[in-house]
Amino acid sequence: MIRISKLSEVLDDDADHTHSAISAVALLAAAWPQLHQGCSLKQLDLDSCTLSEILRLHILASGADCNHGNAKFRYQKQGGFLSTDDPCVEFRLAHPALVKKLSSTAVYDLTPGEKLCVLQALCGKLLTLVSTRVLIEDSAEEQRAARQELREIRAEQHRREREEAAFRVRQRKEEKLREQEQRLKEKEERIREEERSG
């Protein structure tokens, strides 16, 4: 229980916004599940009863793995984002009362505005991950390719329609020419018959 009170005391004093202070608080929050539950935050069982606490610990632990010493990790996993760029860290600093409220209130009991703030932070966190951005970029590329394919299909369809319309116009012209030729032949025959009878 001493460690829990120390964690809450440190979190209550989370007014220092320097990079080292943010990382220290995040490292302490990230270590808390391992010390008290015997497993990492990712391994904790997530259900309707534990969601609020796991969410709170996730928000508090954000920024723990983004320090100056692991630039390769930051580049590979987070696209170069620092802990100060982390939306959950920004959320923690901007809404300390809401983070504290999550320790005693279920996430289901938050107001819609508070839920929206939490969701914005979590969505922002997802967008800092390279894997999410790669998935979005790949989907956008697939969509561009599908649009290009659709344009080509439509262009081909319009070309075919124009060719068919031109073919129909040619057929009509040829038919009219045949009809004119037929009329001329009939006229010539009538003239011949008139000359013979006349």
Side-chain angles (χ1 to χ4, degrees):
M1 202 62 177
I2 294 172
R3 290 182 191 265
I4 295 172
S5 64
K6 284 184 180 178
L7 177 62
S8 62
E9 286 172 13
V10 169
L11 295 176
D12 287 339
D13 292 337
D14 193 17
D16 188 359
H17 297 255
T18 62
H19 178 76
S20 58
I22 290 169
S23 293
V25 170
L27 285 169
L28 183 60
W32 191 91
Q34 189 69 43
L35 292 171
H36 297 280
Q37 302 292 330
C39 59
S40 70
L41 183 61
K42 291 178 183 178
Q43 295 169 329
L44 289 175
D45 291 331
L46 183 64
D47 58 33
S48 60
C49 297
T50 60
L51 176 64
S52 298
E53 181 61 11
I54 291 175
L55 175 63
R56 184 179 77 89
L57 288 173
H58 173 75
I59 290 169
L60 292 173
S62 290
D65 50 6
C66 288
N67 56 44
H68 294 295
N70 55 5
K72 186 177 179 183
F73 171 84
R74 275 198 335 269
Y75 179 75
Q76 289 177 342
K77 300 290 183 200
Q78 295 181 311
F81 282 90
L82 297 172
S83 62
T84 52
D85 301 326
D86 191 318
C88 285
V89 172
E90 290 176 12
F91 173 80
R92 187 179 86 207
L93 296 174
H95 305 283
L98 185 52
V99 175
K100 190 167 185 146
K101 187 175 182 180
L102 279 172
S103 66
S104 59
T105 306
V107 71
Y108 313 106
D109 296 331
L110 297 177
T111 66
E114 292 170 335
K115 288 177 187 176
L116 187 60
C117 285
V118 172
L119 280 174
Q120 284 175 331
L122 293 175
C123 289
K125 176 74 171 178
L126 276 175
L127 292 174
T128 64
L129 301 176
V130 170
S131 57
T132 305
R133 290 196 312 267
V134 166
L135 178 67
I136 291 170
E137 288 168 4
D138 290 347
S139 298
E141 188 61 38
E142 288 173 12
Q143 186 181 26
R144 268 186 239 119
R147 281 183 182 165
Q148 181 62 31
E149 187 178 342
L150 181 62
R151 273 190 225 109
E152 290 171 2
I153 289 170
R154 284 182 179 164
E156 178 66 23
Q157 185 178 6
H158 290 311
R159 185 188 60 78
R160 241 184 267 128
E161 288 172 359
R162 284 192 303 270
E163 287 176 356
E164 288 172 5
F167 179 73
R168 285 194 298 269
V169 167
R170 262 181 294 174
Q171 279 185 326
R172 281 190 213 125
K173 284 183 179 178
E174 288 173 2
E175 196 175 304
K176 283 181 183 178
L177 282 173
R178 274 187 238 123
E179 287 175 5
Q180 285 177 350
E181 285 176 9
Q182 185 67 27
R183 279 190 221 128
L184 281 173
K185 283 181 186 176
E186 288 174 2
K187 197 173 187 182
E188 285 176 4
E189 284 177 20
R190 267 187 264 137
I191 291 174
R192 283 182 197 154
E193 283 177 20
E194 286 174 5
E195 285 176 357
R196 281 185 208 152
S197 61

